Amino acid sequence: DAEFAQRFHQRVRQTRLRHSCDPQLRYGRFVVNYMMARASGARVVFEAGTDRGLGSWALCRALQRNAAEGGPGQLPLLITVDVRADRGDFLDGDEGGLVRRLVGDSVDALQATPEPIDLFLHDTVNEPAHSRAQFAALAGRLAPQAMVHSCWFSPAFVDFCDQHALRCLEYVEQ
């Protein structure tokens, strides 16, 4: 995806990201997020933990392609939340209405989200009580056939999957 790579290199050269990002684009987990969004045909993705927004940008690209292939219907939406307002440097505002950027606690954001969630990405702190609260808030908001991804293969994640008859797979990013 030339546009994805171009934005990465431009931002790493010309913004504050030059101080905190490797100048070489390493796709890693972002490819997994992109593939999950594409394979599932997700229309609504909830990302808990925006950080720099590179994963958010990858999800935007997947949602754009899903929408183009899906024909008319529900517009795609990425809901991304972080506790800090200065996150999401790789995003351009709301990406033309594609992104709802929230600042605050992911549990509160999940509870306030009316849309059924097709793909949930858990990339916040690996603190058991907070993870359980996130998953509890998520439970009633999952769309049929939804996918849940956690960067933490933790007991809270496995328990949530067991309680909701979701299969889980552990993998290691290298």
Side-chain angles (χ1 to χ4, degrees), residues 151-167:
C151 292
W152 312 105
F153 200 79
S154 66
F157 175 65
V158 173
D159 289 347
F160 175 78
C161 291
D162 287 346
Q163 291 167 5
H164 297 281
L166 299 170
R167 291 178 291 164

Side-chain angles (χ1 to χ4, degrees), residues 12-159:
V12 170
R13 280 192 315 271
Q14 298 175 1
T15 70
R16 68 185 181 150
L17 291 169
R18 70 184 172 278
H19 303 296
S20 62
C21 288
D22 185 337
Q24 182 179 354
L25 176 57
R26 300 179 196 280
Y27 289 96
R29 150 175 1 151
F30 310 117
V31 168
V32 174
N33 293 351
Y34 177 89
M35 290 187 315
M36 284 190 302
R38 290 287 288 144
S40 69
R43 293 290 216 173
V44 176
V45 175
F46 191 106
E47 177 188 38
T50 310
D51 194 32
R52 295 178 185 139
L54 189 57
S56 307
W57 175 229
L59 291 165
C60 286
R61 300 297 290 163
L63 286 169
Q64 289 166 340
R65 292 205 170 128
N66 288 356
E69 293 172 2
Q74 178 186 355
L75 294 175
L77 176 64
L78 169 62
I79 304 162
T80 185
V81 61
D82 204 287
V83 294
R84 294 183 48 179
D86 65 343
R87 299 301 183 172
D89 292 301
F90 282 105
L91 294 173
D92 279 336
D94 70 356
E95 295 290 340
L98 182 66
V99 178
R100 183 185 306 156
R101 295 172 74 173
L102 305 173
V103 176
D105 183 72
S106 56
V107 174
D108 295 336
L110 278 163
Q111 291 171 340
T113 298
E115 296 88 356
I117 297 168
D118 299 309
L119 175 60
F120 176 76
L121 297 163
H122 173 238
D123 194 6
T124 59
V125 296
N126 186 22
E127 199 283 312
H130 190 262
S131 294
R132 283 188 191 89
Q134 276 185 332
F135 294 133
L138 172 66
R141 286 157 179 77
L142 288 174
Q145 307 301 314
M147 294 176 71
V148 178
H149 178 266
S150 179
C151 292
W152 312 105
F153 200 79
S154 66
F157 175 65
V158 173
D159 289 347

